[in-house]
Amino acid sequence: MMARALSAGPPTLDRVSSPAYARSVPPRARRAAARGGSPFDPQETPLARTRRARRMARELALIHPDAHCELDFTNAFELLVATVLSAQTTDKTVNRVTPTLFAKYPDARALAGADRAELEEILKPTGFFRAKANSVLGLAQALLERFDGEVPGRMADLVTLPGVGRKTANVVLGNAFDVPGLTVDTHFGRLVRRFGWTAEEDPVKVESAVAELLPKREWTMFSHRVIFHGRRVCHAKKAACGACGLARWCPSYGIGPTDPEVATKLVKTPAASDTE
Ligand code: SF4
C-alpha cells in the first residue's frame, strides 16, 4: 500500500534528499529523480525490465478490466474508416457520425462513389472534414481497385492504403482480424516512456521496444489498457500518481499530484475520459 505522499510536482534533487520524500516515494521513483527525472534506467537489465513490464501489464489488466476499442464498428471496413476519422478528434465524436455514414455507405464500393458534398456534410462534426472526406474517398477507391473492395488482413497490405500507417493498421489487425498489434498513439507513447520501458520517441521504435517486453498474444489488449490508463489516470498534463495502481513500479511516480485525495479528483470517469 502506498504511503500518503508528498504534495504535487515533479521530484527535484532537493526533494529527493528530504526524509519525507524518502519515506513516501517508491524506490524506483526515487532513483529516477536522482537521475534528474529520467524514467528510463540504462542500468536496468533487459530481464529486470521485462519482468517489471509484465508485472505492470498484469496490474493494468486488473485496473482496467473493461478496456476495449472505443470506436463502434461491425466489420473491418467500418473500423478502418472510423480509425482514419478519429485523427484529431475523439472516439465519441466519430461514434456519433458513423451510424449515418455507414447507413448511407455500407462498403468500399458505396463510399468510393459517394457524393463529396454529402460526405463532407456527414463528416463535419469530426473536424477537418474536407481533408477527411478526401482521405476516406481515396481509401475506398484504393480498396476497390486493389483489394476487390475488401479490407486486407495483412500489415504489409494495409500500410499501402492511403492515410493508413502502422497505428491504424494495428488497430484494424488487432480488433477486426485478431492479429495481435501494438497501437502506438499519443497516450501509448507517453505512458511507456513514463514507465521507463523505452526512451524512444519514434512510434515505430516504441512499438519494437514494447514488442520485446510483452508476449505477442497480449499486444492488442495491452494497447487498449494503456490507452484507457492514459485517458483516465496518467494524463498528459496532470498524472493522477497518488491514485495510480502502477505507482510501485513506475519511475515517473511524482510527476503529478501524489496526495491521494488530490489525485483521485483527477481520475476521469469513462464518460468524461474521451477528450483526446
Ligand atoms: S499516473 Fe504517475 S505513477 Fe501512474 S503511470 Fe502515470 S506517471 Fe506513473
Side-chain angles (χ1 to χ4, degrees), residues 56 191 194-195 229 233-234 239-241 244 246-247 250 252-256:
M56 291 175 83
L191 265 68
R194 284 181 176 174
F195 296 169
H229 203 64
V233 183
C234 190
C241 294
C244 176
L246 299 180
C250 179
S252 299
Y253 172 83
I255 60 165

Side-chain angles (χ1 to χ4, degrees), residues 73-223:
F73 67 97
T74 61
N75 57 43
F77 168 73
E78 291 186 3
L79 180 58
L80 178 59
V81 173
T83 308
V84 169
L85 293 178
S86 70
Q88 317 282 339
T89 190
T90 65
D91 290 354
K92 224 177 268 174
T93 302
V94 174
N95 291 341
R96 274 204 296 273
V97 306
T98 45
T100 312
L101 181 71
F102 298 135
K104 202 161 174 66
Y105 312 113
D107 53 29
R109 184 171 300 279
L111 186 57
D115 177 88
R116 180 180 291 269
E118 281 177 24
L119 182 60
E120 286 182 356
E121 194 55 37
I122 295 172
L123 299 183
K124 221 172 213 170
T126 69
F128 305 99
F129 61 93
R130 288 203 180 91
K132 286 184 181 175
N134 268 341
S135 296
V136 296
L137 279 171
L139 180 60
Q141 279 154 9
L143 285 174
L144 204 55
E145 282 161 18
R146 292 196 274 123
F147 298 100
D148 207 19
E150 296 297 318
V151 176
R154 292 187 334 149
M155 172 65 80
D157 292 328
L158 279 165
V159 294
T160 66
L161 292 165
V164 178
R166 286 189 68 87
K167 188 199 89 176
T168 298
N170 273 325
V171 170
V172 173
L173 288 173
N175 298 285
F177 290 98
D178 274 336
V179 175
L182 291 165
T183 312
V184 185
D185 72 352
T186 162
H187 297 289
F188 190 110
R190 179 180 77 250
L191 265 68
V192 297
R193 280 188 292 276
R194 284 181 176 174
F195 296 169
W197 291 9
T198 178
E200 299 289 356
E201 293 283 339
D202 174 67
V204 176
K205 290 184 180 161
V206 170
E207 188 186 329
S208 355
V210 176
E212 283 184 20
L213 297 170
L214 300 178
K216 192 170 182 178
R217 64 179 181 281
E218 293 178 14
W219 290 355
T220 304
M221 281 314 296
F222 172 77
S223 300

